[in-house]
Amino acid sequence: MERTFLMVKPDGVQRNLIGEIVGRFENKGFQLVGAKLMQITPELAGEHYGEHKERPFFGELVDFITSGPVFAMVWEGENVIATSRLLVGATNPKESAPGTIRGDFAVTVGKNIIHGSDSADSAVREIGLFFKEEELVSYSKDANNWVN
Ligand code: DAT
Ligand code: MG
């Protein structure tokens, strides 16, 4: 089953949105297979956001993502990578639709609440950066038969 990496950023943790965000993915019908509250080091931040190293906002991005704890998660489900991006909403909250997480809770691109992998390759890479295989749990739930 497809997996993706989702992470409540420091602003989402500070604004008490972990429960709200977990609830949205649960309610959708996806399954949580791993989660932890953690502090990102500058080294991990640099790896995670490596594709943005040359961008003018890179320094601010690393400072922000290391400014407090994040809630890192792995979610599983049919088409979960692309569908999660729809639930997360556009990168810039000025453009994210109401009903999406960023559309409902964020105002500015520098504090946009949540990260979600953007492709199958990113999902594998990011899950590997944040989680060891033994931290992820494979299990079945009867409710999944009413989703898929
Ligand atoms: P996303 O998080 O939607 O995948 P991204 O990968 O393009 O977006 O950028 C990663 C993060 O970098 C994004 O969530 C917020 C920050 N960011 C992106 N563009 C920015 C900009 N123009 N100014 C400041 N921060 C930006
Ligand atoms: Mg991205």
Side-chain angles (χ1 to χ4, degrees), residues 25-84:
F25 292 96
E26 281 188 326
N27 290 343
K28 177 69 176 172
F30 294 135
Q31 179 166 322
L32 186 63
V33 298
K36 58 185 169 188
L37 188 73
M38 60 180 281
Q39 175 66 46
I40 298 186
T41 62
E43 293 69 34
L44 178 56
E47 281 197 74
H48 175 64
Y49 282 129
E51 65 175 314
H52 299 305
K53 260 195 176 108
E54 307 306 326
R55 309 282 286 276
F57 58 83
F58 180 72
E60 272 174 61
L61 183 57
V62 170
D63 286 349
F64 168 62
I65 208 71
T66 60
S67 65
V70 300
F71 192 66
M73 302 171 279
V74 178
W75 286 83
E76 196 171 81
E78 188 175 309
N79 209 33
V80 68
I81 300 168
T83 305
S84 293

Side-chain angles (χ1 to χ4, degrees), residues 51-52 85 115-116 118:
E51 65 175 314
H52 299 305
R85 292 281 294 189
H115 168 84
D118 64 3

Side-chain angles (χ1 to χ4, degrees), residues 1-8 22 25 30-36 71-77 80-81 84 115 117 123-133 135-139:
M1 185 57 85
E2 187 171 299
R3 287 179 171 181
T4 196
F5 175 70
L6 297 170
M7 174 171 70
V8 183
V22 169
F25 292 96
F30 294 135
Q31 179 166 322
L32 186 63
V33 298
K36 58 185 169 188
F71 192 66
M73 302 171 279
V74 178
W75 286 83
E76 196 171 81
V80 68
I81 300 168
S84 293
H115 168 84
S117 304
V124 168
R125 191 180 78 83
E126 292 168 1
I127 290 168
L129 272 179
F130 283 83
F131 287 91
K132 300 183 183 118
E133 189 54 46
E135 292 177 304
L136 304 178
V137 185
S138 283
Y139 61 108

